[in-house]
Amino acid sequence: MTARQPRRLLRPLIYAAVTATIGGGVLYYSYRPRNIPGSDPAAVPPKFGPDGTIAPPRFPKAKSRVEQIADLKRSAGRNHTSGISNGLFSNFSRSGSKIQNGETEVEEPYDLLIIGGGATGSGIALDAATRGLRVACIERDDFSSGTSSKSTKLVHGGVRYLEKAVWELDYNQYKLVKEALRERKYFLDTAPHLSSWLPIMLPIQKWWQAPYFWMGTKAYDFLAGSEGIESSYFLTKSKALEAFPMLKRNNVVGALVYYDGAHNDSRMNVSIAMTAALYGATVVNHMEIVGLEKDAAGKLCGARVKDLVQEKNGKKAEEFTIKAKGIINATGPFTDSIRKMDDQTVDEIVAPSSGVHVILPGYYSPAKMGLIDPKTSDGRVIFFLPWQGNTIAGTTDAPTEISQNPIAGEEEINWILSEIRGYLAPDINVRRGDVLAAWSGIRPLVRDPKAKNTESLVRNHLITISNSGLLTCAGGKWTTYRQMAEEAVDEAILQYGLRTGPAKNAPHISGTEMIDDAALLDGTCQTHQVRLIGAHGYSKTLFINLIQHFGVETDVAKHLTESYGDRAWTVAALSAPTEKRFPVRGIRISPLYPFIDGEVRYAVRYEYAQTAVDVLARRTRLAFLNAQAALEALPTVIDLMAEELKWDSKRKNLEWRESVNFLASMGLAKSKLNVTRRDVESGTAAEYDEHERKLYSRHGRSPVCEAVVSIANETTDRPADTIESDSKLESGENPMIGKDSPANK
């Protein structure tokens, strides 16, 4: 009996110890110290002089666009003088030999010619260049001009994909989520200035949903493992409404918050392309493929192209040939058009799907918290996220036709607004007039041409090669662009018999010898740790250095560092003096947003911007944030670019017409599509039309002009206890609050 007594006491102690150990392990795993990307000090901190002043860094410069085009021509054996090099890149050693003859040089064909300068094409160029291959990448329009600039701006594994993987026991879905979570971490490590962590709220409307959502978000955390950053957590109703006060109160019992990544998609794309150029890739935008060339054996050996910029300048675009050992098709929704250049008989593999997004004012969401509605009225998922000071909402998913600049339909826009009304408080009037911009992106879902069931779509990406040697990389999503590029280059090396090698004399992209970027490059794929341009000297406090050195405004300084990283030093230096006490430098191109004149000059000189749309849509994001503001900034942007690129009046007029046409695809009001530059400069284009005038109660009409319909005669109500136009409303009615709100009942 006495021997059993200690055993009875020992057993509960063992259970308690095991429980405490497991519980402690779970707590430690959930709240362990983690390194947040972007929170570390800059890898290359700014230098200070003896008197305490900052010595701005100096960065290497890629070849100009003209020099890049000359390199393309040399690949086909056409002689061009070698003296055009700016000398900043002449020491970089690349694969492929050069035959020098006096003042001319002829190069062997490229190892790879990549068609398409979106996320996938630019990523392939960077991967191949850092493996020591000679690579060219050409884009018909501009880097990120298509799907890559029209995403939801998330870098995510996809909680809804994980849910499908579990319920449908789909291993491919699981693999897709696992791969994307790994790539999410690489995003944040290689470009911390362009990407960041974003908490996303998952509202709970029924108590039984709480354990279901909790298990889902914890599974998402667990799957991320070391690639995760913050653990998901539960919020009570009061805390959820405190964090997201716009939520409807009567059907929220709490919320789960999980973490995903967000990024500036087109600036990320441009940075990938320009980093590839610094590593020796020949990267050219506005260069159109007009045909593919084959050798006597029927294998692809090059492509015929023409420079569309020459046509814009009123000159005949010269066609020339680019020679390459292998050609990669990375044209997204336009994949099949290139495949049919190679073989007219091939079946189409792209099933285009339209994704519409709308931009609303920033007051629709908290500045640092997003929201996901997992079950909309038709079963789709909708995101509601803060982005660049505004709020982005979307997306739809419907079959569509392929076009270069698709327009968001009113039906899709109204569906998104309707869903938003469903979970925002009733005293928030969600109005069509609050939509600042709206666009449609085409997602290139693909079918495997070798699959027996050709109707089934591939959920991730597809790499296939034709009989003539055209390697096609299609599908996938932004988050996995790097993995897609790695697999495409691996396949190209195998198919084309290419030899990789370590990069020699690579430029110091950081602008200093403190970091040897070439040390990592041993001929294998290293893009998971190759920092993009701007990342080396970035820190969350870099904006303070800019303010103190250049005298720029705080919001401008933050914007520059978060868009250009350490290259913000160059952008600020290119900004004109304001002739004011403060800010000292940086003239805004729009009074509503922190975009400044130096960004236009930087885009032309350092990022190959060739059109006003290149600047408004993809170097800055003004066209995506506010189509009307982009229209009003257009004269300034055209004039700045004309100074840099020596445009004549005909080219400036062409830029105006093409830019206004593009803004139509960004949601610019139809009433503004025929405005002239004179209308904008005189201010008449900024006046409200009849629809816009009804949005605000402050706009009445002068009694003298009561019978006049023209909006030009519209006046603003004077200050009064009751504004004149409000006096016509029913007693107690508030026009700025939804009709269903208790405040109007």
Side-chain angles (χ1 to χ4, degrees), residues 390-461:
N390 284 354
T391 301
I392 183 172
T395 177
T396 61
D397 185 9
T400 187
E401 296 295 323
I402 296 175
S403 59
Q404 192 160 357
N405 291 311
I407 296 177
E410 280 298 316
E411 184 178 349
E412 291 92 341
I413 293 172
N414 289 327
W415 178 82
I416 293 173
L417 296 180
S418 175
E419 294 301 323
I420 292 171
R421 293 186 189 102
Y423 55 79
L424 292 188
D427 57 346
I428 298 176
N429 189 11
V430 181
R431 308 175 300 179
R432 175 62 177 86
D434 286 337
V435 176
L436 303 176
W439 68 86
S440 173
I442 301 177
R443 184 184 178 193
L445 303 175
V446 292
R447 301 183 184 92
D448 188 346
K450 298 178 182 178
K452 293 181 180 180
N453 179 11
T454 57
E455 294 301 316
S456 59
L457 298 177
V458 177
R459 291 188 175 93
N460 43 27
H461 60 274

Side-chain angles (χ1 to χ4, degrees), residues 47 103 119 168 264 325 338 365 386 441 482-483 514 520 556 583 619 646 651 696 710 719:
K47 295 181 179 179
E103 295 184 353
E168 298 175 10
N264 188 336
K325 300 173 185 176
I338 300 299
S365 68
R482 194 210 64 83
Q483 179 67 27
M514 291 176 60
L520 302 171
V556 171
R619 304 313 185 279
K646 312 303 179 188
R651 177 63 194 274
Y696 302 104
S710 173

Side-chain angles (χ1 to χ4, degrees), residues 589 600 611-613 615-616 630 633-642 647:
I589 63 175
V600 182
T611 70
V613 171
V615 171
L616 286 171
L634 187 53
T636 300
V637 171
I638 289 176
D639 288 344
L640 287 169
M641 296 188 74
W647 288 346

Side-chain angles (χ1 to χ4, degrees), residues 242-549:
E242 181 182 351
F244 209 115
M246 303 82 176
L247 279 179
K248 186 181 292 184
R249 293 172 174 267
N250 57 4
N251 61 348
V252 173
V253 298
L256 262 298
V257 176
Y258 72 97
Y259 285 79
D260 249 328
H263 75 139
N264 188 336
D265 51 7
S266 72
R267 284 227 50 86
M268 180 75 76
N269 197 155
V270 171
S271 296
I272 295 168
M274 297 315 303
T275 305
L278 282 174
Y279 276 109
T282 304
V283 180
V284 182
N285 55 351
H286 299 286
M287 184 71 66
E288 183 178 30
I289 291 279
V290 295
L292 299 175
E293 294 201 339
K294 298 180 181 180
D295 59 20
K299 295 294 184 180
L300 290 173
C301 61
R304 296 189 310 281
V305 300
K306 65 176 181 179
D307 183 5
L308 298 181
V309 173
Q310 294 300 315
E311 291 184 345
K312 292 179 183 292
N313 289 330
K315 301 176 183 178
K316 183 179 180 180
E318 173 195 10
E319 287 189 15
F320 62 92
T321 300
I322 305 171
K323 291 293 184 180
K325 300 173 185 176
I327 299 179
I328 298 179
N329 174 17
T331 52
F334 304 96
T335 292
D336 287 323
S337 63
I338 300 299
R339 293 176 69 242
K340 289 188 175 183
M341 277 188 184
D342 173 44
D343 181 0
Q344 285 286 344
T345 65
V346 295
D347 294 328
E348 295 185 354
I349 63 172
V350 172
S353 174
S354 170
V356 171
H357 295 82
V358 301
I359 288 287
L360 297 165
Y363 55 71
Y364 270 93
S365 68
K368 299 293 183 181
M369 175 78 75
L371 183 142
I372 179 175
D373 182 0
K375 297 293 182 183
T376 60
S377 59
D378 61 358
R380 288 181 282 184
V381 172
I382 193 168
F383 286 97
F384 196 63
L385 311 166
W387 184 67
Q388 301 284 304
N390 284 354
T391 301
I392 183 172
T395 177
T396 61
D397 185 9
T400 187
E401 296 295 323
I402 296 175
S403 59
Q404 192 160 357
N405 291 311
I407 296 177
E410 280 298 316
E411 184 178 349
E412 291 92 341
I413 293 172
N414 289 327
W415 178 82
I416 293 173
L417 296 180
S418 175
E419 294 301 323
I420 292 171
R421 293 186 189 102
Y423 55 79
L424 292 188
D427 57 346
I428 298 176
N429 189 11
V430 181
R431 308 175 300 179
R432 175 62 177 86
D434 286 337
V435 176
L436 303 176
W439 68 86
S440 173
I442 301 177
R443 184 184 178 193
L445 303 175
V446 292
R447 301 183 184 92
D448 188 346
K450 298 178 182 178
K452 293 181 180 180
N453 179 11
T454 57
E455 294 301 316
S456 59
L457 298 177
V458 177
R459 291 188 175 93
N460 43 27
H461 60 274
L462 174 71
I463 296 174
T464 183
I465 190 161
S466 70
N467 293 332
S468 62
L470 177 66
L471 194 153
T472 294
C473 182
K477 60 180 184 175
W478 234 121
T479 308
T480 58
Y481 89 91
R482 194 210 64 83
Q483 179 67 27
M484 293 168 62
E486 179 180 351
E487 293 179 15
V489 175
D490 287 344
E491 185 66 20
I493 291 170
L494 180 65
Q495 293 289 339
Y496 306 133
L498 305 178
R499 296 179 59 186
T500 62
K504 299 177 181 178
N505 301 320
H508 295 288
I509 294 180
S510 65
T512 174
E513 296 183 0
M514 291 176 60
I515 296 179
D516 183 8
D517 291 292
L520 302 171
L521 310 180
D522 59 0
T524 62
C525 177
Q526 296 295 326
T527 49
H528 61 287
Q529 51 186 341
V530 171
R531 290 188 179 98
L532 298 186
I533 184 172
H536 297 77
Y538 170 75
S539 71
K540 290 187 179 295
T541 57
L542 178 60
F543 76 95
I544 298 174
N545 301 134
L546 287 187
I547 296 171
Q548 293 176 338
H549 190 77

Side-chain angles (χ1 to χ4, degrees), residues 571-613:
V571 178
L574 289 170
S575 303
T578 63
E579 308 302 334
K580 299 178 182 178
R581 185 176 182 275
F582 194 86
V584 180
R585 304 186 80 90
I587 300 174
R588 296 183 186 237
I589 63 175
S590 170
L592 300 175
Y593 297 92
F595 306 118
I596 58 174
D597 59 322
E599 295 181 73
V600 182
R601 298 186 183 94
Y602 182 86
V604 173
R605 297 184 189 184
Y606 292 88
E607 295 182 336
Y608 301 164
Q610 296 295 306
T611 70
V613 171

